[in-house]
Structure formats: C-alpha cells, structure tokens
Amino acid sequence: MQCVDTTPAARAEDAIFAALASPVRREVLRLLRERGPQSVQDLASGFAMARPSFSEHLRVLRDAGLVSERRDGRRRLYRLEAVPLVRVRDWLDPYERFWRGRLTGLRDLLDDMEDMNDTRDAAALGRAGDQETT
Amino acid sequence: MQCVDTTPAARAEDAIFAALASPVRREVLRLLRERGPQSVQDLASGFAMARPSFSEHLRVLRDAGLVSERRDGRRRLYRLEAVPLVRVRDWLDPYERFWRGRLTGLRDLLDDMEDMNDTRDAAALGRAGDQETT
DNA sequence: ATGACAGGTAGGATATTTCCTACGTATCAT
DNA sequence: ATGATACGTAGGAAATATCCTACCTGTCAT
C-alpha cells in the first residue's frame, strides 16, 4: 500500500515536474538555453503578462532549482540550471523500452501476454482480494 | 514577441507535461510500467483516495494519451501508452549538453564569459546562445 | 429479473495557480 | 539628494485542480 511518498527527493521531483507543467516556464527555459543568461527585462519582453506575474514564474523555476539568479547592478541575470533536468531524464529512462517496443510492434505482443497473465491470475485467485479501498 | 504558441502540437505537449505534474499520475504510470496492464481496482488499491478522484486522474492521463483503456467484462484494463513520452525526451534533448557541460565544470567558464559579454552589450552579435561544450 | 460489482459522471467544497494593481527596495544617473 | 530604472513583495480576484459524496450505467451471477 504505497501511497505517494514524501521524501525530500520526491518533493524535489514534484517541484521540477510542476515547474515544467507551465508552457510559460518551459518557454523561459528555452530562451535561457538558446540565448544564454539574461535579465528579467529581456526574458519578459516576449510575454504578454504583467511583470509581477512573470516574477512569480521565475520564482517557481528558482524553487525547483532550474534557474539561478545573479545580481548585476540593478538588474538580475537569470541563468539556466540544467542539472535538475537529469532527474527528468532518469525518470523517463525506464519508459524508453516501452516506446521503442511499441514502435517496433513488439510491445503489443508482450502486452497481450501480460493481459492473459493478468486475467488468469485474477481467475485463479477467485478475485477475493483487496477490499481495503477506504 | 513570441508569446506561448497554441498549435495542436503545443497543446498536446501541454497536456503531457500537465499530466506528469501530479505525483499520483506519475505513480500510476510507474505501476503500469512495472506490473503491466491492470484494472482500475488494482491500480487504485495503493492510493488513499475515493474512486471518482482516481478516475479523474485516469481521465487526465487518457486525455494526454499516456494510457489507454480496454473493456474486459465489467472491468477496464488500463495500459501504459509510452509513445507520447517521446515528446518529453525530445523536449529534454537540447538541455543535455548543458548538464553535461555543467557536470564537467566547463559550462561555468562559458557562462561567465557570456555574462561579461551580456553585461557589456547583449546585442553585440548573433553569438547569443551558442556555446559548444566540446 | 435481481442483486452485487466495476467504474464512470454530476455537482460541490476547498486548495492552489495564475494573473492583476499597488507599492517597496535597491541601484544608477544627475 | 532626487528622480528614474529594475525587480521584487503584498494582497486579492478569477480560473483551475483536487478531492469528496451521491448517483448512474453496464456486466456478471443467480
């Protein structure tokens, strides 16, 4: 009965995935990747949004560790911090064989086998298990 | 002035990233990956959540194309559909050289160079965004 | 047909996100 | 010092997400 875990590592992963959920924030990351470190002004100029709203998006990215800021006079230069994205890559990794299998048609076969397995198991156990859905 | 685009492809990407933002939904994908296609009952048994709430999570995953359902008598077997995750892998791809550069320490040097350049004159040349890690 | 079961939809409460305007703080130029 | 600039925080409105309790539909067993 593993509900969703709450270790620091898991919360960091949550923050990263949550940050990436917004197209605005993904676009910010793209700009930083393609144009290098930039001021808030330069970054914000492409978005039809009040400055404080944009600042909030930057804060979410900062909290997720995906960008860092450096003071430069009265400007603040934001920089891409790509290392946390390794977590996303690592999360994605075990799925790769599924889409590769899927693309070659092999996975369908495996799934059908698994389906049969599942059906047989359910029948064998007489479906008496699991009422603890509270 | 490129705001966030709204092409069908972009909306599909949004749906995928939004679906992955919830730890519950990522856990569902993990279960489907590790244990193969399963009924809603089997999937839901690990979560402390009412059934309709869980159904809603499944709907989000379905709308993103990340799972498919197949009727099997009065049960519905959900199956992982990994192909949309290729979009995530593709999104991630251009960032890889950044974290690799970062891990070797080379990126810091390049960033510092860019920072200086940026400070003096951001629009000096079209060099923006091109720093090779090799 | 009748009841039990699997899983969905409807509608609503609450929490969170996303956006805004108004204002504060630090830096730069004069 | 004074004003302008860059960017943040405060606080609130509106939209959305997440959860719930009822209830409905379709399938299976009797």
Side-chain angles (χ1 to χ4, degrees):
Chain A
M1 195 189 282
Q2 78 309 350
C3 300
V4 182
D5 91 56
T6 54
T7 62
R11 268 184 283 106
E13 193 179 272
D14 280 0
I16 294 165
F17 275 101
L20 297 183
S22 156
V24 170
R25 293 190 290 263
R26 289 199 306 278
E27 178 68 8
V28 168
L29 293 180
R30 192 186 66 78
L31 290 172
L32 290 175
R33 167 169 61 80
E34 293 194 340
R35 314 216 277 236
Q38 288 169 77
S39 67
V40 176
Q41 238 186 158
D42 291 344
L43 283 171
S45 67
F47 298 89
M49 183 183 300
R51 193 59 50 88
S53 308
F54 192 73
S55 278
E56 177 71 10
H57 283 295
L58 290 177
R59 195 185 58 74
V60 173
L61 288 168
R62 243 187 297 121
D63 290 349
L66 290 164
V67 303
S68 61
E69 74 163 28
R70 185 168 67 77
R71 318 290 267 255
D72 173 45
R74 61 184 148 175
R75 300 186 312 163
R76 302 185 187 194
L77 294 182
Y78 276 80
R79 183 173 81 165
L80 175 66
E81 293 293 337
V83 172
L85 291 177
V86 174
R87 282 175 177 281
V88 178
R89 206 260 331 249
D90 290 346
W91 180 87
L92 212 52
D93 201 51
Y95 293 93
E96 179 159 5
R97 71 181 188 87
F98 284 86
W99 75 63
R100 283 196 298 122
R102 184 64 164 158
L103 293 173
T104 64
L106 180 59
R107 183 168 137 65
D108 284 331
L109 178 62
L110 290 168
D111 272 337
D112 290 345
M113 287 166 61
E114 273 186 85
D115 286 357
M116 287 189 294
N117 208 12
D118 188 282
T119 301
R120 182 174 47 80
D121 287 348
L125 290 171
R127 73 189 43 114
D130 59 285
Q131 272 87 351
E132 79 254 36
T133 337
T134 42
Chain B
M1 186 69 104
Q2 79 308 349
C3 301
V4 182
D5 91 53
T6 54
T7 61
R11 268 183 284 105
E13 193 179 274
D14 280 1
I16 293 165
F17 275 102
L20 298 183
S22 156
V24 170
R25 292 190 291 262
R26 289 199 306 278
E27 178 68 7
V28 168
L29 294 180
R30 192 185 66 78
L31 290 171
L32 289 174
R33 166 169 62 81
E34 293 195 340
R35 313 216 277 236
Q38 287 169 77
S39 67
V40 175
Q41 234 184 164
D42 291 344
L43 283 171
S45 67
F47 299 89
M49 183 183 299
R51 193 57 54 86
S53 308
F54 192 73
S55 278
E56 176 71 9
H57 283 294
L58 290 177
R59 194 186 59 74
V60 173
L61 287 168
R62 243 187 297 120
D63 289 350
L66 289 165
V67 302
S68 61
E69 73 162 30
R70 184 167 68 78
R71 316 291 265 256
D72 173 45
R74 61 183 150 178
R75 300 186 312 163
R76 303 187 187 193
L77 294 183
Y78 275 80
R79 184 173 81 165
L80 175 66
E81 293 294 337
V83 172
L85 292 177
V86 174
R87 283 177 176 280
V88 178
R89 205 261 328 251
D90 290 346
W91 179 88
L92 212 52
D93 201 52
Y95 293 93
E96 179 160 4
R97 69 191 185 86
F98 283 86
W99 75 63
R100 282 195 299 121
R102 183 65 163 157
L103 292 173
T104 65
L106 181 58
R107 182 168 138 65
D108 283 331
L109 177 63
L110 290 165
D111 273 337
D112 291 344
M113 288 166 61
E114 260 189 84
D115 288 357
M116 288 187 295
N117 203 1
D118 189 291
T119 299
R120 250 184 317 112
D121 185 358
L125 277 179
R127 81 175 286 288
D130 230 309
Q131 62 278 35
E132 294 302 38
T133 44
T134 47

